């Protein structure tokens, strides 16, 4: 009985160490595998094949996993963290449309910053290179907050 209890405790300790060993959110799947949070689901087109994926936003990249039983890493789009200017942002919207016209899904990601501004990031997918960041198609920290009311006279009260 003591031997079984010792084996059970050892097994539980190993499981807890394994679960805690992947706490680094910067590793592919670190945040998703520990928290279970998936930011979006989508379908990626690659060479005429459609692949169901789930997307998880980490501090340095957007990670795509096969949306199947194994949930293996499918692809990664590295975030331009120098241009984002902070790490306090949230997942907004994701598009996996074919912007380049090569019949493969590219990526457009909108993230929202704490100051109510947004960044819009674009990557083009290229065979043998993966997602390549396109700075000319992206913009950063565009404010969604209006500082002044519109200068439209129709909004003033008429007497």
């Amino acid at each position: 009985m003591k031997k079984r209890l010792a084996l059970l405790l050892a097994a539980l300790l190993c499981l807890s160490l394994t679960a805690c060993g992947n706490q680094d959110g910067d590793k592919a799947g670190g945040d998703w595998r520990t928290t279970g949070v998936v930011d979006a689901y989508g379908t990626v087109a690659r060479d005429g094949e459609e692949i169901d994926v789930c997307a998880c936003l980490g501090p340095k990249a957007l990670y795509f996993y096969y949306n199947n039983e194994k949930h293996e890493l499918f692809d990664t789009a590295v975030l331009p963290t120098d241009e984002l200017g902070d790490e306090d942002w949230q997942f907004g919207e994701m598009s996996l449309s074919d912007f380049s016209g090569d019949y493969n899904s590219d990526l457009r990601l909108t993230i929202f910053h704490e100051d109510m501004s947004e960044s819009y990031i674009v990557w083009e997918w290229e065979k043998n290179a993966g997602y390549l960041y396109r700075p000319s198609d992206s913009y950063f920290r565009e404010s969604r907050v209006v500082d002044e009311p519109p200068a439209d006279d129709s909004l003033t009260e008429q007497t």
Side-chain angles (χ1 to χ4, degrees):
M1 179 78 160
K2 286 184 181 181
K3 198 179 232 184
R4 288 183 188 171
L5 182 59
L7 287 172
L8 178 62
L9 288 174
L12 288 172
L13 179 62
C14 286
L15 284 174
S16 66
L17 289 175
T18 302
C20 294
N22 198 15
Q23 294 291 329
D24 184 3
D26 191 28
K27 290 182 182 175
D31 59 344
W32 177 50
R33 292 180 184 162
T34 57
T35 66
V37 175
V38 172
D39 292 301
Y41 294 90
T43 303
V44 174
R46 289 286 183 271
D47 299 322
E49 182 182 356
E50 290 189 350
I51 302 155
D52 290 331
V53 296
C54 54
C56 304
L57 184 61
K60 303 222 185 245
L62 182 66
Y63 303 101
F64 291 101
Y65 297 91
Y66 289 97
N67 191 14
N68 59 21
E69 293 134 12
K70 292 184 180 182
H71 297 292
E72 295 170 321
L73 185 64
F74 171 72
D75 211 337
T76 302
V78 177
L79 290 169
T81 53
D82 291 342
E83 294 182 54
L84 288 173
D86 68 349
E87 291 183 15
D88 197 12
W89 31 261
Q90 296 180 355
F91 187 92
E93 298 175 359
M94 175 184 76
S95 173
L96 295 169
S97 297
D98 178 17
F99 307 120
S100 61
D102 64 355
Y103 303 105
N104 291 299
S105 294
D106 299 310
L107 171 63
R108 183 179 61 220
L109 176 67
T110 303
I111 58 174
F112 299 108
H113 299 271
E114 186 178 41
D115 66 357
M116 299 301 292
S117 63
E118 66 183 51
S119 292
Y120 176 87
I121 310 164
V122 177
W123 293 264
E124 186 177 319
W125 189 84
E126 289 187 16
K127 194 171 190 153
N128 300 323
Y131 282 107
L132 300 176
Y133 167 58
R134 296 293 182 225
S136 61
D137 296 327
S138 304
Y139 65 79
F140 298 93
R141 309 290 293 204
E142 182 171 296
S143 179
R144 295 184 301 136
V145 177
V146 178
D147 293 332
E148 298 177 22
D152 184 1
D153 290 338
S154 66
L155 296 177
T156 59
E157 188 175 316
Q158 306 257 338
T159 57

